[in-house]
Amino acid sequence: MQNINGIVSVEINNKIALICLDNPPVNAASQALRDGLQKALIWASSQNDIGVIVIYGAGRTFVAGADIKEFGKQPLAPFLPDLVNEIEQAEIPVISVLHGTALGGGLEIALGTHARVGIEGLKVGLPEIHLGLLPGAGGTQRTPRLCGIPAALDMILSGRHIHAQEALEMGLIDKLYDGQPRDVAMEAAQEVLIGKLETHRTDQIITKSNNVHLDEVEARLLQTHSHLFSPHKCIEAVRACSLPIEEGLRIERQAFEECMETPQRAGLIHAFFGERSVSRVPESKIAPRQVEHIGIIGAGTMGSGIATTCLMAGLRVTLIENVQENLNEGTAKVKRNLQDSVKRGKLQAENLSKTQSLLQPALGIEYLDQVDLVIEAAFEDMDIKKEIFRKLDSVCKAGAILASNTSYLDINQIAAITSRPQDVIGLHFFSPAHVMRLLEIVVGKKTDPAVTATGFSLAKKLRKVGVKAGVCDGFIGNRILAHYRKTAAYLVLDGAHPQQVDQALESFGFAMGPYKVTDLAGLDIDWMTRRRKAPTRPKEERYSGEIADRICESGWFGRKSGQGYYLYKGRDIHTNPDIDAIINAERQKAGITVQKFNNKEIVKRYMTAMISEAVRVLEERIAARPLDVDMVFLFGYGFPRHRGGPLHYADTLGPQELISRIETYAKEDSHYWKVPDMLRQMALDGTKFSDLNG
Ligand code: T1G
């Protein structure tokens, strides 16, 4: 065994050279792995009488891609595309054994080998598009040669994982085996030596151009993803696959480097690492409590959604209502959600009945005496919640965690009425709870760190993105939303049309503008919030709810009533001409001189408002890090992923630009537009939000 550099080793066994890649956790193609692999190939080729070289991975997967941590830094040789070419041009046949998730640069290494074998359970893919990139080590040139342009383009533009059998049928791998990587490496190598497993060079396959298909896909992309950069560069690179491979690889490299330079690549990589590091909180070093049986109080939309997500994670669920009819309705909704999850491929059909059997509907809180954790999802009323928690305190076993799904109420107040405030926490799910990935973990003053740790462990089990939040009205997301939604309302009062505001934010990258979102959620919910907050609204605050109040008073609550800011006929959505009269009447009543706003100005105001409140949430330690705010908005509020989140986006503007915008707007409304002290300090220190994510 020749240990090349601690990550790569080579073993000679008769005429076979076995190169083992061992770079946990996912064998990322770091500079050390590339350097070791290159040296191993040279060393193996220099040995006498080697008939075949096999590359395989140790651990849970073959190479899962280039090392994303190296992006944005000075690239270091050997460069992956060059290494793949060296593999392909080797005189001794080189084959690869793929297991786990051979993705991106990992699959590209394999495409440079002269035969690829997979191990059962393998998934392959070219997910670079999710990082704002394209396959930059030959994937756009070799994949079409192996499986044709349409299949290659689908793989590159979707970034999807392809299961082993499909990969075999597509021609991406040559044979499927079962067993451990090293044993399969030996078996496949011996088959090469006896001619049972053929080897071939991908670069010698000629691909016919298919510009008709490429033009069709490009046209569709311009409709759906015109704001994204890398999909168009993917097509540009794939177009070159009918040229000699040296030319194609040059065009691919050029396109890759252009993508690497974009803010979209930086935003998507921030999102990738943020999703993983957001759960790294001090409490995650503490052992969580055991949770196998969950009690849920309230079988309404949220309760049934939360029950669904817990059942899908294999947890037992006792679902509580106080009226049989509501319990039946909620139970039926859970079953529909599970069937919907099967349709969406989130739950295997063969697991449906077993999953449903974990659900135990019951009338009365006394059935929760043995659960490990309760999630209260009752009506958003503090008195109702206090009454429930009083009962839970007397019914639940010692050590049971008592959580509320409240979206803004004070967890400390709820905890204070129990004899176990240390076991009380907020677990704020987002509707639909079995689809939305965000879970705000709201930590009270007295919450035991082990309870917080359990919140994060539950989030992982539910495949949610858990974000730690402090206690304030609305925690992180709804607190910030409540602020910047006023900007949208002020813009409409002052001259913009709701549909224009939506279009402006959709062109910025939001899937839906704020008026479509509020129509979808139900205008009555915001109406209730405005009335709840009316008694405590500061007198200096410019009221932003006049137009929305009039719309609600007309009984128009959005999609659920067929009419809101828009008209809903079946799945069609149209502007609602009846709101123009309401808007004009309110402007007249307020004596407003109508202004014109262009889309750029709408986005500037909206984003500046969002960022300024996000900074205040950081100042008050409601969120510990800027990335916590970013992940809340990426996973709970449809913030465009390629922009990385509000504060990652703020770094592209800089604190000084934000301060000057706020100071300009403050001339119109000094109560609403205030520069947070933290932003001024950042401008003085030259600090970026990314510096605060450590
Ligand atoms: N580089 C660096 N670190 C990576 C990584 C990568 N490619 N993939 C994962 N990690 C880290 C991750 O941050 C986490 O770290 C740990 O590994 C476990 O990951 C030239 C340019 C492979 C399906 O996009 O999809 O190749 O938090 O929690 O849920 O054309 O990781 O433990 O410190 O996600 O089991 C293309 C990205 C790169 C694959 C495993 N490849 N990774 O999922 O574990 S670009 C990708 C994943 C490229 C070439 C181009 C998943 C996974 P930590 P995890 P998992």
Side-chain angles (χ1 to χ4, degrees):
M1 171 79 79
Q2 179 75 10
N3 181 347
I4 300 292
N5 67 355
I7 284 179
V8 181
S9 59
V10 195
E11 178 193 346
I12 303 296
N13 191 317
N14 294 329
K15 296 178 172 239
I16 300 168
L18 294 141
I19 298 178
C20 178
L21 309 177
D22 191 2
N23 185 28
V26 296
N27 261 325
S30 63
Q31 191 277 338
L33 182 139
R34 301 193 303 272
D35 186 52
L37 177 53
Q38 186 181 53
K39 288 188 169 82
L41 280 164
I42 293 166
W43 185 83
S45 307
S46 67
Q47 301 311 298
N48 295 331
D49 201 19
I50 296 295
V52 61
I53 298 172
V54 200
I55 305 172
Y56 72 94
R60 63 176 171 156
T61 179
F62 186 71
V63 179
D67 186 340
I68 306 175
K69 295 184 181 71
E70 292 180 0
F71 292 168
K73 297 174 186 161
Q74 181 62 31
L76 296 172
F79 305 116
L80 196 57
D82 301 339
L83 179 57
V84 175
N85 293 341
E86 284 172 34
I87 293 170
E88 188 163 64
Q89 291 149 22
E91 273 152 35
I92 300 174
V94 181
I95 69 172
S96 49
V97 177
L98 309 182
H99 78 290
T101 47
L103 303 170
L107 180 60
E108 290 173 300
I109 288 172
L111 294 173
T113 63
H114 306 130
R116 286 155 297 283
V117 302
I119 294 179
E120 291 300 344
L122 167 71
K123 286 185 270 187
V124 301
L126 294 171
E128 289 86 342
I129 197 148
H130 297 318
L131 301 173
L133 296 168
L134 55 83
T140 66
Q141 307 304 305
R142 295 187 174 96
T143 314
R145 283 173 164 81
L146 289 171
C147 52
I149 287 177
L153 199 54
D154 164 63
M155 195 175 156
I156 292 166
L157 289 177
S158 68
R160 69 189 178 91
H161 290 186
I162 295 168
H163 289 270
Q165 189 53 41
E166 185 185 357
L168 183 67
E169 290 155 9
M170 287 172 70
L172 287 168
I173 59 175
D174 302 291
K175 195 167 178 180
L176 260 181
Y177 293 78
D178 209 351
Q180 292 307 310
R182 188 192 172 284
D183 302 338
V184 169
M186 280 302 294
E187 187 180 349
Q190 279 147 0
E191 291 189 3
V192 169
L193 292 177
I194 61 173
K196 197 174 164 202
L197 179 61
E198 281 183 23
T199 58
H200 45 85
R201 280 180 52 160
T202 309
D203 61 337
Q204 289 169 357
I205 300 170
I206 306 298
T207 308
K208 282 205 309 311
S209 69
N210 185 343
N211 287 329
V212 171
H213 177 77
L214 288 159
D215 293 346
E216 278 168 13
V217 175
E218 175 84 73
R220 276 202 301 278
L221 268 181
L222 286 171
Q223 295 294 321
T224 57
H225 291 80
S226 56
H227 57 290
L228 291 179
F229 183 76
S230 68
H232 306 284
K233 301 308 278 184
C234 289
I235 292 181
E236 182 183 303
V238 170
R239 276 188 199 282
C241 72
S242 49
L243 300 173
I245 198 159
E246 297 76 13
E247 179 58 6
L249 289 172
R250 189 190 60 72
I251 291 170
E252 174 193 86
R253 194 78 210 144
Q254 168 69 27
F256 177 82
E257 281 163 3
E258 287 173 45
C259 291
M260 189 57 96
E261 292 312 307
T262 61
Q264 291 187 3
R265 186 272 305 159
L268 288 165
I269 287 179
H270 172 70
F272 175 86
F273 284 122
E275 180 183 345
R276 289 155 178 83
S277 49
V278 73
S279 56
R280 281 206 207 101
V281 293
E283 295 86 345
S284 49
K285 294 189 179 61
I286 297 168
R289 291 184 192 168
Q290 194 71 19
V291 174
E292 279 155 14
H293 184 183
I294 288 201
I296 294 173
I297 297 181
T301 306
M302 286 311 290
S304 53
I306 297 167
T308 306
T309 194
C310 292
L311 291 167
M312 286 173 67
L315 295 165
R316 281 178 54 209
V317 172
T318 298
L319 181 61
I320 300 292
E321 261 291 352
N322 47 16
V323 172
Q324 188 63 51
E325 188 195 343
N326 298 345
L327 186 61
N328 296 345
E329 243 176 67
T331 307
K333 184 139 181 55
V334 171
K335 290 192 173 145
R336 284 198 302 275
N337 289 344
L338 290 173
Q339 285 152 2
D340 169 56
S341 300
V342 169
K343 281 194 207 111
R344 289 186 296 116
K346 301 292 181 195
L347 179 67
Q348 300 290 325
E350 58 269 23
N351 296 335
L352 179 59
S353 54
K354 181 166 135 292
T355 305
Q356 279 175 350
S357 68
L358 294 170
L359 176 64
Q360 172 64 46
L363 281 176
I365 282 183
E366 58 277 11
Y367 287 90
L368 300 182
D369 59 333
Q370 289 311 312
V371 298
D372 306 311
L373 183 147
V374 181
I375 301 173
E376 170 273 315
F379 195 65
E380 277 294 73
D381 175 282
M382 183 56 94
D383 293 339
I384 293 174
K385 292 188 187 302
K386 282 182 175 177
E387 188 46 34
I388 289 172
F389 274 76
R390 259 189 215 98
K391 287 181 187 157
L392 288 174
D393 196 17
S394 59
V395 164
C396 292
K397 68 184 181 185
I401 292 173
L402 311 182
S404 172
N405 172 56
T406 179
S407 54
Y408 59 84
L409 293 173
D410 187 337
I411 291 292
N412 294 322
Q413 274 192 45
I414 295 173
I417 55 101
T418 69
S419 63
R420 48 173 123 179
Q422 71 282 1
D423 293 338
V424 176
I425 193 167
L427 293 178
H428 177 211
F429 290 80
F430 285 72
S431 186
H434 64 296
V435 175
M436 294 298 283
R437 294 199 54 212
L438 178 62
L439 176 61
E440 281 183 322
I441 298 170
V442 187
V443 180
K445 270 203 291 288
K446 295 186 177 170
T447 302
D448 184 316
V451 172
T452 307
T454 310
F456 278 94
S457 145
L458 179 65
K460 191 174 173 85
K461 201 176 284 183
L462 303 179
R463 299 186 62 76
K464 299 285 181 190
V465 178
V467 182
K468 184 176 171 184
V471 175
C472 73
D473 190 313
F475 317 132
I476 298 173
N478 284 344
R479 152 87 185 264
I480 295 168
L481 170 68
H483 184 75
Y484 68 81
R485 281 305 315 278
K486 289 176 190 155
T487 292
Y490 294 149
L491 281 161
V492 170
L493 275 168
D494 292 337
H497 191 278
Q499 189 178 7
Q500 182 199 4
V501 174
D502 280 352
Q503 282 164 354
L505 273 311
E506 285 159 16
S507 63
F508 178 77
F510 282 91
M512 288 169 84
Y515 288 100
K516 281 189 194 141
V517 169
T518 194
D519 259 8
L520 185 62
L523 301 180
D524 46 333
I525 294 176
D526 282 348
W527 196 23
M528 202 163 50
T529 305
R530 287 195 297 277
R531 285 181 294 183
R532 171 174 68 84
K533 289 185 171 180
T536 57
R537 186 166 57 240
K539 61 181 186 327
E540 312 86 345
E541 182 180 313
R542 178 187 183 194
Y543 187 52
S544 62
E546 296 90 340
I547 291 171
D549 291 348
R550 297 300 86 72
I551 290 175
C552 291
E553 285 152 12
S554 313
W556 304 338
F557 295 137
R559 190 183 285 263
K560 61 182 166 187
S561 63
Q563 189 165 355
Y565 288 94
Y566 295 89
L567 284 179
Y568 299 89
K569 294 191 178 89
R571 297 192 65 78
D572 293 342
I573 173 171
H574 310 277
T575 46
N576 177 1
D578 298 343
I579 60 163
D580 292 352
I582 291 177
I583 293 171
N584 294 331
E586 291 306 321
R587 287 172 180 164
Q588 228 160 6
K589 215 187 285 179
I592 286 168
T593 309
V594 171
Q595 297 175 55
K596 279 250 172 284
F597 295 98
N598 62 36
N599 287 3
K600 193 160 173 289
E601 180 59 16
I602 289 172
V603 171
K604 267 177 79 172
R605 286 171 179 255
Y606 194 84
M607 287 311 303
T608 305
M610 185 188 293
I611 292 164
S612 62
E613 192 64 13
V615 176
R616 281 184 277 272
V617 157
L618 284 176
E619 277 179 329
E620 296 167 30
R621 309 290 302 154
I622 302 296
R625 303 161 292 185
L627 78 85
D628 294 343
V629 174
D630 288 340
M631 294 311 116
V632 162
F633 278 84
L634 291 185
F635 291 98
Y637 293 78
F639 193 91
R641 187 178 171 92
H642 65 276
R643 295 194 185 269
L647 295 176
H648 178 86
Y649 172 68
D651 274 344
T652 66
L653 302 172
Q656 199 44 63
E657 163 64 15
L658 291 161
I659 290 169
S660 55
R661 287 184 187 183
I662 297 170
E663 287 176 341
T664 303
Y665 301 145
K667 290 173 190 141
E668 302 162 18
D669 179 345
S670 60
H671 172 75
Y672 180 79
W673 293 103
K674 288 186 168 64
V675 177
D677 296 341
M678 181 176 170
L679 204 55
R680 288 199 192 284
Q681 195 57 49
M682 288 175 72
L684 287 174
D685 303 344
T687 312
K688 295 169 75 79
F689 289 106
S690 57
D691 300 329
L692 309 175
N693 280 330

